[in-house]
Amino acid sequence: MRLYFIIILCTFSTIVFSQKAINTSTLTIEQIMKGDDFVGYSPAGISWSEDSKTIYFSWNPEMDTLRSLYKVNIDGGKPVKVSIEEQKMLPSGGIYNKDGSRKLFTKNGDIFIMNTSSGEITQITNTVDPEFGAQFSGDETKIIYNSGGNLFTISENGIITQLTNFRRGNKRDEPRKTANEQFLEAQQMELFDILRERKAERELQQARNKELQPKRPYEYYYGDKNMSSIQASPDLKFITFRLTKNAPDKPTDVPNYVSESGFTQDLRARPKVGSPQDTYEFGIYDIEKDTVYLVDTKQIPAIYNKPAFLKDYHKGSEPYKDQYEKPREVSFFGPIFSEDSKAVVNITSQDNKDRWIMLLDLPTGKLKLLDHQHDDAWIGGPGVGWFGGNNLGWLSDNKTLYFQSEKTGYSHLYLVDVISGEQKALTNGKFEIRSADLSHDKQYFYITANAEGPHEQHFYKLSVNGGKLEKITQIIGNNEVTLSPNEQYLAVRYSYSNKPWELYVMENRTGAQMKQITQSTTAEFNKYKWRDPEIVWFKASDGVEVPARIYRPAKPKKGGPAVIFVHGAGYLQNVHKWWSSYSREYMFHNLLADNGYTVLDIDYRASDGYGRDWRTAIYRYMGGRDLQDQVDGAKFLVNNYNIGKDKIGIYGGSYGGFITLMALFNSPGTFKSGAGLRSVTDWAHYNHGYTNNILNSPQEDSIAYHRSSPINFAEGLKDNLLILHGMVDVNVHFQDVVRLSQRLIELKKDNWEFAVYPLEDHGFVESSSWTDEYKRIFKLFQETLK
């Protein structure tokens, strides 16, 4: 076993590879690992001016140290840098009033209002204490905002009114007198007339002073909890809020050995999966009644239900009980208010097996079920939850709510009448609604979807009454659209498989032409003819068709080598027809193909873009179906592309590194060699938010954790393994691979190598680290697969 440290590798760039490791591509690893400095900096962070004539975006065509803000007029001209002075005046986000004539926003902790016709901006506040969350009241006569954990309003004539008096901690009561003190005081009152008279006079004066005081909001103390999500109903009759009780979890420390101070510093990082979790309560403040009450979660349907997997652990002769004695913990999102102050909340169980959309009766705190989605695995999908957010909103009739759900197996758009409970599906089919936003007049949805197939994304228009999706963008690839405020134009960030992201503009209508605004790629990047990888489908061992991208040499040889790349995150898509977020890996695959390799890049089970069943196929068994897809991919290469059975390698980072380890440990002989970058080696040491959804908690589902963690199968290593990891990785901790290394040492394995990067986190930053990492990977494949 060899151990490499990047800090002693100042001579590594001069190392001469053995004859087998010679690179025959016109590309070099040093080039492609420069990332944006080689490719060019694509435009990002797209926004519009309020008059819909100017597009703003972040860009760096001059290869400066930092990106800058640029602007371009849609009528023509070249993009120009925006001055610092102009940037100071630009609005930051914000919300419009009903007719769109005014825009309210906060910037640097102060409130501003813009006249959208003239562009004139008026500063409302200029304070040291920040204001945030500014919005219009329902009648638009007041501005509601949060400051210091309380809500206030500013009227049109500048009067500031405090709506809430929420206070952390506990109210101080008058000290309770002892029995002796009470006896002595009573004796004094009995003996002395003047003391009695003075006390009566004092109490009378206090009562009168209280009557003279102006009405103030109810003083509500919330103890040692944290308060957040404070919102006012549009009619200003109710305030809602969320209380969080922080769990006594144990954070982890990641040592930083190469610090500016010269001392080892501990970086505070996340707790581990299965640690105690925060708990939440949802409260309502009735302004008129001046009282606070909490929503009772016992009224939520199925709230006592246990997750199905627990039955696997039932022992004994007593019948299994499928319900808890106490309601499950939940988290609240919202409320989402209609213009007439109806309130809807999205409630998710802490185990993420259930999602409820419920109408909240503010005066009583009662809940009415509008939609319930249950999943024995976990709730997720675009616009639904987990990585997808929660997409909810009201139509103009103030009784119809739109939402997204995976109830059919794919995330689609639905309507529900909150009075009758009647639902209507607006979209359906084997595709996903990636995002859906309501037009200003609330008559249309603007939708991004993969309706043409999972490997391209387009922008659509759909009536709120349903019907056919009207496809606006036409060019195959990915079309990330930012709609102009007047909804007449689209700023499109577009890319294709071998063409990085560029900015385009077009009219918001079917058939309109996209006009390119930016040209970001470098002359050096443009010299090379980048492959447009073919998308193929192969049949897995369970009969399911699995998609992949394939890169082929110009002159493939019979019995030649191949490499399978495993993307990270699990829930991520890399088989598609747009520029990959794995741009360095895409370029590396071109280099590999130039050197005679066939490269297969699989959207294995768990990947994004293919619906619920694909996403949850790894439930309780990471390294099951997802690994088998890699093994079946290797067989596909041998049977269909004349790849040598003993000349296949595998590599990937993060989740891809985890799969690489599982492949070498649990399917020896399938892959001659593998490189695991920033790999998870034991899921019991990863974070809670991600892992608990897929494997439950380690203390409750030890079976899932044992069969899913590579460290338990390290004895199976027979092929060549290269481990690479950043030492200040606060996501997948360096501890993961240190523990695995110790396991391999005790197992007396000697066909593995280990390179560490002292100054790198999970996502590498320095091109020197990227270069070192991929030189090692290339050398591994050249020496073991050729």
Side-chain angles (χ1 to χ4, degrees), residues 161-180:
T161 302
Q162 185 167 342
L163 299 180
T164 62
N165 189 12
F166 296 148
R167 294 173 177 264
R168 186 177 173 84
N170 298 299
K171 188 174 183 178
R172 287 189 177 183
D173 295 323
E174 288 291 326
R176 189 169 181 177
K177 296 184 174 93
T178 65
N180 175 255

Side-chain angles (χ1 to χ4, degrees), residues 77-226:
K78 292 183 177 180
V80 295
K81 273 187 183 179
V82 180
S83 69
I84 295 296
E85 290 306 310
E86 185 178 349
Q87 289 185 51
K88 288 180 180 179
M89 299 303 296
L90 290 175
S92 177
I95 59 171
Y96 296 95
N97 63 349
K98 293 172 187 175
D99 65 9
S101 62
R102 294 183 295 168
K103 183 179 184 179
L104 187 63
F105 64 95
T106 57
K107 190 171 185 177
N108 300 322
D110 291 314
I111 301 172
F112 298 80
I113 193 163
M114 169 188 275
N115 183 309
T116 56
S117 297
S118 66
E120 181 183 357
I121 296 175
T122 303
Q123 186 165 354
I124 305 298
T125 64
N126 186 355
T127 60
V128 174
D129 290 334
E131 295 86 30
F132 59 93
Q135 60 181 345
F136 292 104
S137 61
D139 60 9
E140 299 186 352
T141 63
K142 298 181 181 67
I143 295 171
I144 309 165
Y145 66 93
N146 189 317
S147 180
N150 279 292
L151 288 191
F152 298 79
T153 62
I154 303 177
S155 66
E156 291 176 329
N157 55 8
I159 296 175
I160 297 176
T161 302
Q162 185 167 342
L163 299 180
T164 62
N165 189 12
F166 296 148
R167 294 173 177 264
R168 186 177 173 84
N170 298 299
K171 188 174 183 178
R172 287 189 177 183
D173 295 323
E174 288 291 326
R176 189 169 181 177
K177 296 184 174 93
T178 65
N180 175 255
E181 290 170 332
Q182 292 177 40
F183 170 81
L184 292 175
E185 182 176 328
Q187 185 187 49
Q188 294 294 91
M189 292 300 104
E190 182 179 346
L191 291 174
F192 303 109
D193 293 340
I194 292 177
L195 288 182
R196 288 198 303 275
E197 291 169 2
R198 288 180 178 179
K199 182 180 180 182
E201 182 179 341
R202 183 176 66 251
E203 290 175 347
L204 183 62
Q205 186 63 53
Q206 288 173 346
R208 182 171 296 176
N209 290 343
K210 188 174 181 180
E211 290 176 353
L212 292 171
Q213 288 294 315
K215 182 173 172 25
R216 302 295 189 193
Y218 174 68
E219 196 174 56
Y220 177 68
Y221 289 85
Y222 51 92
D224 61 353
K225 300 170 185 175
N226 293 319

Side-chain angles (χ1 to χ4, degrees), residues 365-386:
K366 298 296 182 183
L367 295 167
K368 174 186 175 182
L369 183 65
L370 300 176
D371 185 76
H372 176 204
Q373 185 181 329
H374 170 80
D375 198 314
D376 281 346
W378 74 94
I379 297 292
V384 180
W386 203 39

Side-chain angles (χ1 to χ4, degrees), residues 736-753:
D736 263 52
V737 288
V738 172
R739 293 177 70 245
L740 178 61
S741 298
Q742 181 61 30
R743 180 76 179 134
L744 292 170
I745 291 167
E746 292 183 9
L747 290 169
K748 298 180 173 59
K749 300 293 181 180
D750 56 11
N751 51 338
W752 61 287
E753 297 178 357

Side-chain angles (χ1 to χ4, degrees), residues 434 449-450 453-458 476-480 493-501 532-533 535 549 551 573-581 586 603 608-609:
R434 305 294 299 181
N450 57 8
H455 304 130
E456 54 183 291
Q457 293 187 10
H458 287 279
I476 294 173
N478 193 344
N479 298 266
E480 294 182 355
R493 209 174 79 104
Y494 168 81
S495 74
Y496 186 67
S497 304
N498 57 0
K499 297 177 182 177
W501 299 95
D532 178 4
I535 294 179
R549 298 206 299 185
Y551 302 73
Q573 185 177 6
N574 204 44
V575 176
H576 48 60
K577 296 178 181 178
W578 60 87
W579 187 247
S580 176
S581 57
Y586 165 80
D603 266 353
D608 185 14

